[in-house]
Structures are given as structure tokens and as C-alpha cells.
Amino acid sequence: MMLLVTTIILSLLALSALLLAPWSTQGERDRDAINRALYHDRLRELAVDNTNDAERAGMVEELQHSLLQDIPGESAVRARPLPRWVLLPGILLLVAVSLGLFWQTSSVNQVQEWRRVVDLTPELMKRVMDPQAEQLTIEDVALLGLGLRSQLEDHPTNPQDWWLLGRIAGALNNAEMAAQALTRAYQLDPQNEELKLDYAEFLLRSSNPRENLRGGELLRELQHSGTTNVRVLSLLAFNAFEGQRYQEAIDAWQSMLRVLPQNDTRRAVIERSISQAQAALASGASTGG
């Protein structure tokens, strides 16, 4: 930005100099000096010439006549250009119009807003990470997303930023950006189980059946790794129930009941879900029979 502004200023200065140059009277002064030098030089030649006085007088008169013809007349003197300061308002108008057009067409306001968002990003990141901090508004979340994209331009191999960007894009209902960000984060850090779980959940909620299958595979990988994460079991049960794999859903919910404390309020919801799956399983068995 600074380079662009400097270039514009130098260009305006150069243009102003070009406007002033034709009004200079330096050329007329140089011409008079040359004529005088030639006149005196010719007089010296005549003084040493071997001509008689009458011829020399005629030549001097002819030389003076030629010099007078080369001197501007009275009308030319009156047509002398105006003083340079008269051009100052025009130059100032040129500068004002040029800067105005630059301001309107160069997206300066957008660049300034972008810089403000970049400066705010570290503070917004701290608020996201601190559960005691003030909750971010939707506008704050959108600003944080813009700031993260700017950071990732400079540091594209940071999986945490990609992960957070994916979660933000999901909160803003930008499915395309969420998919790209979470996929990139998982590619950079495939051993992170929490990241893997977020990615699997996103894939399960996709309208693309192929992505749903991939999400189920990731969940089973997490389950086979020995994790007792309630969220993993919940997503497995949900995915199985949606796919009408009722026995698989029942097994996942029963695993959740073994993990949850007896006073956990989620137990009642899980028990009702098991009853629904058992009823659907029995209905399918009797229909098949």
C-alpha cells in the first residue's frame, strides 16, 4: 500500500512538472544570449577583415538588421505566458481529483477493515479458548473466520487453525468451507482423536452418502482404538439407527449406559432410544417372518 501511494505521489509531481515546463522563459533567454554572442563574434571578424570602411559599415548594418529581425516584436512581448502561480489551482484540482478517484476505486476501506480484523484475531482466539470469557457473537465468529483465513495464507500447515476454521464455518452454515477446512486439518493431524471425531461428525451430517460412510468408518476406528468417549458411542448409535442397523445402535447405547454415571440425566433418553430400536428390530423381524 505504501509503495502504491508513493508511486501515485511521484507521478503527480512529474505531471505537474510537465505542465509547468512549457511556461518557462528559459528558452527565450538562451536564444537572446546566443544571438548576442554571434553578433559580437561577427563584429570581431569584420574588425580584422581586409575590407574597406564603407564595405565594413554596410556589413555591420546588415548584421544589425538581421539581429533586429530575430528579436520578438511588441505583440510577442505582450503575449508572454502568465506567471507560474496561476497554474497552482489547476494542479491542486488535478491532485484532488486523482486522490478522490484512487480512494473510490482502490478498496482502501476494505483493506483497512481487513487489517482491523487481523489485529483482532488473537483476542478473539483467546475468547474462544477461555470458557470463562465472554461468549462470541455471530459477528465475532464471522470476523474470527476471516482472521483465520488470513493467518492460514501465511501458515497453511497449522492443523489447529484449519480445525477451528472448520468449526466456525459449520456454525455459520458454510458447509463447503467447513468440509475443506476439516479435511485439511485431518490430513495434517490424523492422529488427533478429537479432531477425528469432529471430522467424523461433520461427515455423518452431510447429505452425501459417501461422506456418511466415511464418517462411520472413522467412528469405528475410534471405537476399535479402545476409546470410551461417550460422544463416539452416541454418534455410532445415531448413525446405526439412521441406517436401520438397529442391533448395532442398541449395542452402542448399552455401552453408553455402562459408561455414564447412574445419576446422569442422559440415561433416560438413551433407555427410550433403546426401546425404540428394539421395537423397530422386532417389527422388522415379525414382518420378515
Side-chain angles (χ1 to χ4, degrees):
M1 177 61 70
M2 183 59 66
L3 178 61
L4 179 59
V5 172
T6 303
T7 302
I8 292 174
I9 293 174
L10 292 176
S11 300
L12 288 173
L13 291 176
L15 181 58
S16 301
L18 289 174
L19 288 174
L20 290 172
W23 299 86
S24 173
T25 58
Q26 183 65 39
E28 294 179 4
R29 291 196 296 269
D30 292 345
R31 180 179 174 184
D32 292 341
I34 292 172
N35 286 337
R36 286 196 299 270
L38 291 175
Y39 172 71
H40 290 296
D41 186 59
R42 183 57 179 156
L43 286 179
R44 286 192 294 271
E45 291 179 359
L46 291 175
V48 298
D49 199 358
N50 294 324
T51 56
N52 55 49
D53 293 339
E55 291 178 352
R56 184 182 300 110
M59 291 180 180
V60 169
E61 183 179 354
E62 182 181 354
L63 180 61
Q64 291 174 343
H65 181 70
S66 299
L67 181 61
L68 288 174
Q69 285 182 336
D70 200 35
I71 296 176
E74 185 179 355
S75 61
V77 173
R78 281 198 292 265
R80 185 182 295 263
L82 295 174
R84 294 184 183 183
W85 63 265
V86 177
L87 296 177
L88 184 59
I91 294 174
L92 293 177
L93 179 62
L94 172 64
V95 172
V97 172
S98 301
L99 293 179
L101 290 174
F102 169 74
W103 183 266
Q104 293 295 324
T105 61
S106 64
S107 303
V108 173
N109 292 332
Q110 289 86 338
V111 173
Q112 291 178 338
E113 177 64 17
W114 171 73
R115 290 302 313 169
R116 184 182 72 85
V117 171
V118 171
D119 293 339
L120 279 175
T121 300
E123 179 185 346
L124 295 174
M125 290 279 288
K126 289 180 180 178
R127 288 172 58 186
V128 168
M129 300 302 177
D130 185 2
Q132 304 300 324
E134 181 182 359
Q135 189 174 6
L136 268 64
T137 64
I138 293 297
E139 181 182 357
D140 292 335
V141 171
L143 292 177
L144 179 55
L146 176 59
L148 283 173
R149 291 199 300 273
S150 300
Q151 286 187 179
L152 288 168
E153 288 289 333
D154 299 326
H155 307 285
T157 58
N158 188 329
Q160 296 295 323
D161 283 356
W162 283 113
W163 185 6
L164 183 56
L165 179 60
R167 297 175 66 179
I168 289 173
L172 296 175
N173 295 320
N174 190 334
E176 182 179 358
M177 183 186 296
Q180 293 174 353
L182 289 173
T183 300
R184 181 62 175 155
Y186 178 69
Q187 290 172 347
L188 292 170
D189 191 9
Q191 303 305 319
N192 188 323
E193 291 191 353
E194 288 297 322
L195 168 57
K196 192 173 186 178
L197 182 53
D198 274 355
Y199 185 39
E201 181 175 8
F202 174 79
L203 293 175
L204 288 178
R205 299 183 186 280
S206 172
S207 58
N208 188 330
R210 183 176 299 177
E211 291 183 348
N212 296 156
L213 291 175
R214 178 55 180 156
E217 291 174 1
L218 293 177
L219 287 177
R220 284 186 286 275
E221 289 176 9
L222 288 168
Q223 185 184 31
H224 293 155
S225 67
T227 181
T228 56
N229 190 311
V230 173
R231 188 172 160 214
V232 172
L233 296 173
S234 177
L235 289 173
L236 277 171
F238 169 79
N239 181 248
F241 189 85
E242 289 293 313
Q244 299 183 356
R245 302 187 304 277
Y246 299 117
Q247 187 59 55
E248 186 178 336
I250 293 170
D251 293 340
W253 277 319
Q254 288 176 341
S255 297
M256 288 181 66
L257 290 176
R258 289 193 291 269
V259 173
L260 291 175
Q262 290 298 322
N263 60 349
D264 195 301
T265 55
R266 289 173 291 181
R267 294 182 68 89
V269 177
I270 294 171
E271 289 170 353
R272 285 197 298 270
S273 299
I274 291 175
S275 298
Q276 291 177 357
Q278 288 174 338
L281 185 63
S283 175
S286 62
T287 304

